[in-house]
Amino acid sequence: AKQYADRNELKSDDDYEPVPELSWMSKFFINVVKTGKVPKSVAFIMDGNRRFASTKGQQKHLGHRHGLAKLEETLLWCKGLGITELTVFALAKDNLKRSKVEVDTLMGLCKD
């Protein structure tokens, strides 16, 4: 699998590879943010992945892979900021009514 500096470049399921570490610029901004108050607990709602894929002309299930890549990057930020509790709302029961390929992708990502 190929690594991408910009996750918008993902074109297929085979292109996905987790973000290995934060860039120097991300580390710089983490240090800037840490000069103020940082919460110990945050929550994320995974929303808009299908819309993102559609705007890029990609299949909707690939949007979920983009979303996971961004979540992984965000988790690295949280770790760098010292945020110790995370809640991720990633799946609603309505998501299970979608196409088989999309549901299979979501379930596969949940396993990973």
Side-chain angles (χ1 to χ4, degrees):
K2 181 178 173 185
Q3 281 190 305
Y4 293 91
D6 181 356
R7 292 299 188 195
N8 296 338
E9 296 179 39
L10 289 173
K11 299 295 182 202
S12 73
D13 292 340
D14 296 330
D15 283 343
Y16 175 75
E17 185 172 312
V19 177
E21 66 177 56
L22 292 170
S23 69
W24 69 268
M25 187 182 302
S26 292
K27 291 175 185 175
F28 171 79
F29 285 119
I30 284 172
N31 286 327
V32 170
V33 171
K34 286 169 79 171
T35 63
K37 290 188 176 188
V38 177
K40 294 296 175 196
S41 178
V42 296
F44 300 98
I45 299 173
M46 303 293 290
D47 188 36
N49 296 322
R50 290 165 30 122
R51 284 187 302 275
F52 173 82
S54 293
T55 63
K56 298 294 181 186
Q58 298 175 354
Q59 296 174 346
K60 291 179 180 175
H61 75 279
L62 293 177
H64 300 296
R65 294 194 179 279
H66 286 290
L68 178 60
K70 279 304 192 187
L71 178 62
E72 289 173 340
E73 183 179 334
T74 303
L75 296 177
L76 290 174
W77 271 77
C78 289
K79 182 179 178 182
L81 288 167
I83 297 171
T84 57
E85 295 180 25
L86 300 165
T87 303
V88 178
F89 297 94
L91 186 67
K93 71 178 186 176
D94 286 347
N95 296 135
L96 301 175
K97 298 176 186 174
R98 296 179 177 171
S99 71
K100 180 174 176 14
V101 68
E102 195 170 350
V103 171
D104 288 349
T105 298
L106 286 167
M107 293 297 114
L109 294 173
C110 289
K111 287 180 189 177
D112 293 342

